[in-house]
Amino acid sequence: MSDDRLDQLDYYDLLQVEPTSTIDDVRRAFHAFAAKYHPDRFAGAPPEKQERAAQIYRRGAEAYRVLLDPEQRRIYEAQRARGKLRLDPEEKTDRGNGPGTGGLAIRSPRARPFAQKATEAFKKGDWATARLNLKLAMQHEPENALLQARLAEVEQRLRAR
């Protein structure tokens, strides 16, 4: 994994998990990642290779910490929707609100039930229902970047079928 490649990976790509992955999925993925990149595996390797493995491992550990913590993960999701690949802990974001919105920050009470249904459909892989409910939620919050990002992801999955 070159420097450029590492800098182009978000936490999900780095740990090879889906954005909808559970905490258990993230744990399993990190254990596989650690088995491959833990610095102890490179104890006898040339110093530059040891440093590179340590760099990759540190980034993976960062991904693991963020994706395991629901609050940090929610903030990361908001930042990721705006194109950031790593969590910027200094950046403030709107709070995700309400259970079942999948970390989507929804301000409108009218949009919230549709966002919740979209999240449920997303988790089940029911992309058509997710798209419908995201579009309905966006009628109440058309400027919500997280809804737009989730809709773009769902439409990409529908095209890939």
Side-chain angles (χ1 to χ4, degrees):
M1 192 179 305
S2 71
D3 278 343
D4 294 337
R5 175 92 171 111
L6 184 60
D7 291 339
Q8 295 172 3
L9 297 174
D10 67 20
Y11 295 153
Y12 297 108
D13 291 336
L14 187 61
L15 295 182
Q16 299 180 349
V17 294
E18 294 292 320
T20 57
S21 62
T22 65
I23 287 175
D24 287 339
D25 295 336
V26 172
R27 278 195 183 106
R28 277 191 294 274
F30 181 71
H31 288 186
F33 176 88
K36 188 173 181 180
Y37 292 108
H38 194 282
D40 289 351
R41 288 197 63 234
F42 299 90
E48 59 274 358
K49 193 167 185 172
Q50 289 179 9
E51 177 53 35
R52 182 65 181 152
Q55 182 183 26
I56 293 170
Y57 184 80
R58 283 192 300 268
R59 181 73 61 84
E62 174 185 315
Y64 179 66
R65 283 191 305 272
V66 169
L67 297 181
L68 233 50
D69 181 304
E71 179 66 13
Q72 285 191 22
R73 187 171 180 169
R74 185 193 57 73
I75 293 169
Y76 174 65
E77 281 297 320
Q79 293 176 358
R80 183 171 163 263
R82 293 191 305 273
K84 294 204 174 201
L85 300 177
R86 298 177 70 183
L87 177 69
D88 179 357
E90 302 301 317
E91 185 178 316
K92 302 290 183 201
T93 59
D94 294 334
R95 289 189 56 81
N97 50 3
T101 59
L104 294 173
I106 307 296
R107 291 187 189 97
S108 166
R110 291 184 175 182
R112 201 167 294 136
F114 297 116
Q116 187 173 355
K117 288 178 185 173
T119 297
E120 291 167 7
F122 191 93
K123 288 177 182 174
K124 293 176 184 172
D126 182 356
W127 310 124
T129 301
R131 178 176 58 187
L132 172 67
N133 282 290
L134 285 166
K135 286 182 175 182
L136 291 169
M138 288 181 62
Q139 287 180 352
H140 302 287
E141 286 194 30
E143 303 300 321
N144 187 317
L146 293 174
L147 288 174
Q148 292 170 3
R150 183 71 54 93
L151 179 60
E153 185 176 349
V154 166
E155 288 181 338
Q156 182 179 7
R157 288 175 187 260
L158 280 166
R159 282 192 298 274
R161 290 197 304 179

